[in-house]
Amino acid sequence: MEEKKTSLQHIISRIISDFFNPLVSLVIYFVYFSIQNYTLKESFTHFLPILLMTILPIIIWIVWNVKTGRYTNMDVSNRVQRKTLYIFIAVCIISYLVFNYIKHGFIDFVMLFILVLLFALQFSNLYIKSSMHTAFNVFVAALFFAFDIKIGFVWLAIAILVGITRVILKRHTVKEVFTGGGIAVLVSFIYLYCNNKYQRNDIPTEVIPVETTIK
């Protein structure tokens, strides 16, 4: 009976952990944000470069390295193997930031802080294998907090649940989950502070309605 309970616990943990992996969680945020702030055409224009220059290349990179044996699994749970993953993700994000700045003339604030979080996790990886699943879900919660507090709290609960599943699946220790979460909380605090102070400008000015003063 106990073995069946444990097996069911692992199955549920695996489903939660796999579904709320960093890439999926970020995609959910970008899709929701686009629906709330853009028309369908604007959403497509805004999200497509992110998809083609960051998300898809990262997925292909991970799958290819798993198939060739360079990565042990899709989670890239080996600390040494994560070094090349961090570098590749950073290159993808920087490429997108440069592309977006050249095309639109502004820096994508969200992607910039994703890069900051990545660098923080990369630095911590020199000493401890911080949980990327926990860290990115905490940051996604902060992204939602910026414009929808209720969803922010819901996603924070999801982040905590994801952290628990990482321990159950033995992908991380409790210390590694707390380290990932702690790093994300710090980065998220800075993001929310800057977002409130400078009033995030990741929506191109041409799609912001302007009231005319001419009667």
Side-chain angles (χ1 to χ4, degrees):
M1 182 64 70
E2 185 65 31
E3 290 183 358
K4 289 183 179 179
K5 287 183 179 179
T6 302
S7 178
L8 179 61
Q9 184 184 62
H10 274 71
I11 291 173
I12 294 174
S13 295
R14 168 57 65 186
I15 293 172
I16 294 172
S17 182
D18 285 348
F19 183 80
F20 292 106
N21 71 68
L23 290 175
V24 172
S25 295
L26 286 170
V27 167
I28 291 174
Y29 164 76
F30 284 125
V31 170
Y32 183 85
F33 180 84
S34 296
I35 291 173
Q36 294 296 314
N37 294 280
Y38 297 111
T39 64
L40 181 61
K41 182 179 180 180
E42 291 163 350
S43 297
F44 185 77
T45 303
H46 179 256
F47 182 66
L48 188 60
I50 295 176
L51 178 66
L52 296 179
M53 299 186 70
T54 60
I55 296 172
L56 284 181
I58 292 170
I59 293 174
I60 294 172
W61 175 267
I62 294 174
V63 171
W64 179 71
N65 277 281
V66 169
K67 285 189 175 182
T68 56
R70 292 180 176 86
Y71 293 163
T72 306
N73 48 52
M74 292 292 290
D75 289 340
V76 195
S77 53
N78 183 290
R79 194 174 117 193
V80 176
Q81 295 172 357
R82 284 194 172 189
K83 293 180 180 179
T84 55
L85 176 62
Y86 283 129
I87 294 172
F88 183 79
I89 295 176
V91 169
C92 290
I93 295 176
I94 292 172
S95 298
Y96 165 77
L97 287 171
V98 172
F99 166 81
N100 186 74
Y101 183 78
I102 292 173
K103 185 171 183 179
H104 300 292
F106 68 92
I107 296 175
D108 189 314
F109 200 59
V110 171
M111 292 301 289
L112 177 62
F113 269 86
I114 289 176
L115 183 63
V116 171
L117 177 59
L118 183 71
F119 282 148
L121 290 171
Q122 186 174 19
F123 179 76
S124 73
N125 191 60
L126 298 174
Y127 307 97
I128 184 172
K129 188 184 70 175
S130 303
S131 173
M132 289 183 67
H133 276 67
T134 306
F136 274 90
N137 275 288
V138 168
F139 185 68
V140 168
L143 294 178
F144 278 118
F145 266 120
F147 69 95
D148 194 319
I149 295 177
K150 291 182 180 179
I151 297 182
F153 276 115
V154 170
W155 211 276
L156 184 59
I158 290 174
I160 294 172
L161 183 60
V162 169
I164 293 173
T165 67
R166 303 306 288 168
V167 176
I168 292 175
L169 296 171
K170 296 182 178 180
R171 294 299 192 190
H172 291 282
T173 63
V174 174
K175 183 179 180 181
E176 291 170 348
V177 167
F178 272 101
T179 302
I183 291 171
V185 167
L186 178 60
V187 174
S188 297
F189 177 81
I190 298 172
Y191 165 77
L192 289 173
Y193 173 80
C194 293
N195 180 75
N196 291 332
K197 185 174 182 179
Y198 301 108
Q199 298 182 350
R200 185 183 55 212
N201 191 36
D202 56 350
I203 304 177
T205 54
E206 60 266 22
V207 304
I208 300 178
V210 179
E211 296 182 0
T212 179
T213 58
I214 302 176
K215 302 297 183 179

